[in-house]
Amino acid sequence: MTSDDRYKLFGVYVSASVADALETYLYEEAGVVDYEDYFDPSESGVPVGDPGADATDRLVSDVVADFATLYDEADFEAARAVDADAFVLAHLAAEPQTVTRARERFQAAATIRETDSRTVHTAILSAYLESETGLENR
């Protein structure tokens, strides 16, 4: 359980290029040098005020707020074309309510698109990172 001063961690499966774009985004936004090992998934949460967690909280909050637009911009076919073994687990931190809303939206999109979560995670986060950073990251 997390308290008001802690973010909740959750995982998303994304293509390697989206994971690289997340790493670049976190380096530029928060100075995170080693994103792969930055969050400890065995911890119950991350303190508010942690630069990397604050950055991913903003990212997840933006994704939730702009989900419909990102859904329309997302290239689901490109995400579907990624080899099933090429997805990596990336951890994000956000307020618990934001995590719940993000999970609900990702699951609804997977149901509507009749695809798996990793395809939706990749497509939506790729659309977000492209709009925020201009990086091509499929």
Side-chain angles (χ1 to χ4, degrees), residues 4 12 14 23 42 55 58 60 62 67 104 110 117 123 133 138:
D4 290 341
V12 291
V14 294
E23 185 171 30
S42 67
R58 284 189 304 275
V60 175
D62 289 350
F67 200 88
E104 289 169 350
S117 293
T133 65
R138 293 204 211 298

Side-chain angles (χ1 to χ4, degrees), residues 60-124:
V60 175
S61 295
D62 289 350
V63 167
V64 167
D66 298 334
F67 200 88
T69 301
L70 294 170
Y71 180 91
D72 290 341
E73 294 172 356
D75 188 346
F76 290 97
E77 294 309 313
R80 231 182 232 120
V82 174
D83 184 74
D85 294 331
F87 289 93
V88 296
L89 177 62
H91 289 94
L92 303 172
E95 292 181 354
Q97 304 85 349
T98 305
V99 170
T100 299
R101 288 191 290 271
R103 286 181 174 154
E104 289 169 350
R105 284 165 177 76
F106 283 130
Q107 184 56 48
T111 300
I112 291 166
R113 300 295 294 190
E114 297 180 352
T115 192
D116 55 41
S117 293
R118 62 188 174 202
T119 297
V120 174
H121 293 161
T122 295
I124 297 294

Side-chain angles (χ1 to χ4, degrees), residues 14-15 17-18 21 70 74-75 120-133 135-138:
V14 294
S15 67
S17 59
V18 171
L70 294 170
D75 188 346
V120 174
H121 293 161
T122 295
I124 297 294
L125 290 173
S126 178
Y128 175 80
L129 291 165
E130 285 176 17
S131 70
E132 288 298 304
T133 65
L135 296 175
E136 289 290 326
N137 44 56
R138 293 204 211 298

Side-chain angles (χ1 to χ4, degrees), residues 8-27:
K8 183 175 183 175
L9 283 177
F10 75 107
V12 291
Y13 283 95
V14 294
S15 67
S17 59
V18 171
D20 290 345
L22 277 169
E23 185 171 30
T24 299
Y25 175 85
L26 286 175
Y27 177 75

